[in-house]
Amino acid sequence: MQEPNLTIHSLHVHPIKSCAGIAVDEALLVETGLEFDRAWMLVDEAGGFVSQRELPRLQLVQPTLRHSDLLLRAPGMLALHLSLDAVESACRVRVWGDEVAAYDMGDLAAQWFSDFAGRTLRLVRFDPEQRRRCDPAWSGGVDAEAAFADGFPLLVASTASLDELNRRLAARGHAPVAMARFRPNIVLDGLDAHGEDFVDTVTLDAPEGPVVLKLTKPCTRCTIPNVDPATGERGTEPGDTLAGYRADARMGGAPTFGMNAVIVEGVERTLRAGARGTATIAF
């Protein structure tokens, strides 16, 4: 079978878990995925992570990565500047079943998010010395690690998959949705609709040499894609439409969109939008 020819359609970094993402022209690949992706996270008073599942309004927090700081804007709030090189006190936090080392980002950031969310929150940054290993049952034999992402360093989706979903939404009388709802890191051109489900490895061109990713686990979908990025309000679509045609037997019948991926080769190499690549199909 001929290997599909691919192009990186777009790259996306989500600096703060469950806040808005950023489309970038290029991104450095590090051990935990794209640099600065899910490097920060919001936690409650007990140190447990907080997401759009309980606070869909977090979608309205818009980050901008600059040379030396992370700039945050949100409706009704003054801008918040966070230095990329500064943290405050060490702490322990929980993301799903993992307790990990992190750094608190201080009282100003905590107050900013608490005021915006209407509940007590603190902002933390992942400790780069911490190794949060991915589930070996789904890591394809790779000793993979993630920062504050749900479970894997990268999420890969395709433009054809979104086109198919929007075709089905239109047939049901619903408006199209943007890829931002699915919060991927790498969006590919060149695959058939949901063709990423059947990909084993993706090799992408980078200036320093190839980047090889292994697509390992279908990404099950909760209520977060139902949050409108423009309003921060939750509806029922595209979740209802996905559930009608994307129930995945591998995941107990849960609807899936996109594939989690681990890094086989390419740490410290730079991925760029428009770069070409190929895929091998799993049999």
Side-chain angles (χ1 to χ4, degrees):
M1 180 180 293
Q2 185 176 2
E3 296 181 351
N5 292 314
L6 309 175
T7 304
I8 297 179
H9 176 82
S10 56
L11 295 166
H12 304 267
V13 175
H14 305 80
I16 302 176
K17 184 178 179 70
S18 252
C19 294
I22 307 168
V24 295
D25 292 330
E26 63 179 45
L28 181 69
L29 190 65
V30 298
E31 288 85 351
T32 56
L34 300 185
E35 186 178 30
F36 300 121
D37 188 65
R38 277 85 171 189
W40 290 266
M41 181 175 74
L42 291 160
V43 298
D44 59 21
E45 293 169 286
F49 86 98
V50 176
S51 77
Q52 286 185 42
R53 294 168 183 85
E54 57 266 44
L55 282 176
R57 182 172 167 80
L58 293 178
Q59 173 61 46
L60 300 179
V61 177
Q62 181 62 60
T64 301
L65 274 169
R66 304 194 302 183
H67 177 69
S68 61
D69 69 355
L70 177 66
L71 174 65
L72 301 176
R73 290 189 173 93
M77 304 293 292
L78 296 174
L80 177 66
H81 299 256
L82 299 174
S83 171
L84 296 180
D85 297 326
V87 294
E88 294 202 12
S89 57
C91 58
R92 303 286 296 181
V93 298
R94 294 187 312 281
V95 52
W96 295 112
D98 299 327
E99 181 178 309
V100 298
Y103 289 98
D104 190 279
M105 293 300 296
D107 291 342
L108 180 61
Q111 191 63 57
W112 193 90
F113 275 101
S114 298
D115 288 347
F116 179 68
R119 57 176 284 191
T120 300
L121 298 173
R122 294 200 74 86
L123 182 67
V124 299
R125 186 167 182 176
F126 191 79
D127 182 347
E129 299 301 315
Q130 169 81 51
R131 290 203 70 194
R132 180 173 168 241
R133 287 183 166 84
C134 302
D135 183 350
W138 286 101
S139 57
V142 177
D143 185 17
E145 55 187 293
F148 287 137
D150 280 351
F152 294 87
L154 294 163
L155 179 62
V156 177
S158 71
T159 53
S161 298
L162 184 67
D163 290 345
E164 174 62 16
L165 170 59
N166 281 330
R167 185 187 69 78
R168 290 173 179 265
L169 284 168
R172 288 163 53 90
H174 299 298
V177 297
M179 186 63 87
R181 295 207 183 212
F182 297 98
R183 307 176 68 79
N185 298 116
I186 302 172
V187 180
L188 298 174
D189 285 331
L191 293 170
D192 295 334
H194 303 292
E196 58 267 39
D197 291 1
F198 308 103
V199 168
D200 180 24
T201 61
V202 169
T203 301
L204 300 168
D205 295 338
E208 307 89 344
V211 169
V212 182
L213 310 176
K214 187 174 182 66
L215 277 55
T216 60
K217 184 181 183 182
C219 185
T220 56
R221 291 301 172 170
C222 60
T223 59
I224 289 179
N226 292 343
V227 177
D228 186 335
T231 66
E233 296 178 356
R234 182 181 293 126
T236 61
E237 292 291 354
D240 287 352
T241 296
L242 271 180
Y245 80 107
R246 288 292 299 165
D248 195 317
R250 296 171 292 179
M251 308 308 298
T256 62
F257 187 100
M259 290 288 291
N260 291 293
V262 297
I263 304 163
V264 177
E265 178 185 350
V267 169
E268 299 300 325
R269 295 174 183 170
T270 303
L271 288 173
R272 292 178 174 164
R276 299 190 177 277
T278 58
T280 61
I281 304 303
F283 293 99

